Amino acid sequence: MSEERSVFSKIVSGEIPATLLADTERVIAFPDIAPQAPVHILIVPKTEEYHNVVELAAGDPDLLAEVIAVAKSLAEEHTGGEFRLVFNTGASAGQTVFHVHAHLLGGALAEGTLAGA
Ligand code: AMP
């Protein structure tokens, strides 16, 4: 557990507002505040026990599967069913919030970027 609660835990508890696009027993999803694609949704386990996807896969593979199932369902609703799923893992890979989350990216991605490669 981190000493300080993550921004995503504060969204889970309602202290920070977000438009919830999915809310299951263990997972929420909401639009990224700084979208990098026409559709950019964050899918976040409610627990902050896992800092990244490697920890989540080792500690609770069923919860990781639920994150992916929620991504599939949101993609059917928002991107025509096709999507990119990104888990930044580590600061040098761009991770800024150390509460595991998936980026669901869809729509016409920009060319010349990793997301559009
Ligand atoms: P990462 O860089 O992979 O850790 O992703 C963290 C993401 O959280 C970034 O894309 C931020 O834009 C996003 N983010 C941070 N605060 C908020 C917020 N309050 N609501 C929605 N997205 C946020």
Side-chain angles (χ1 to χ4, degrees):
M1 277 294 230
S2 41
E3 308 71 35
E4 200 173 304
R5 292 166 63 238
S6 74
V7 61
F8 295 157
S9 285
K10 292 178 182 173
I11 289 174
V12 169
S13 68
E15 289 162 72
I16 293 178
T19 301
L20 296 188
L21 302 174
D23 185 4
T24 72
E25 196 180 321
R26 299 213 289 165
V27 172
I28 59 170
F30 49 88
D32 195 292
I33 204 169
Q36 305 294 310
V39 175
H40 187 169
I41 297 169
L42 298 176
I43 303 157
V44 183
K46 290 181 178 177
T47 176
E48 64 180 8
E49 183 175 353
Y50 305 107
H51 298 104
N52 60 54
V53 69
V54 176
E55 290 184 9
L56 178 61
D60 194 340
D62 287 347
L63 183 52
L64 175 57
E66 186 172 337
V67 168
I68 293 170
V70 169
K72 173 181 180 286
S73 164
L74 286 168
E76 282 165 358
E77 199 176 335
H78 297 277
T79 74
E82 298 186 340
F83 61 95
R84 185 177 296 256
L85 201 61
V86 173
F87 293 89
N88 293 328
T89 305
S92 72
Q95 187 174 6
T96 58
V97 179
F98 293 85
H99 174 150
V100 62
H101 55 281
H103 296 256
L104 170 64
L105 300 161
L109 302 176
E111 284 184 34
T113 65
L114 180 61

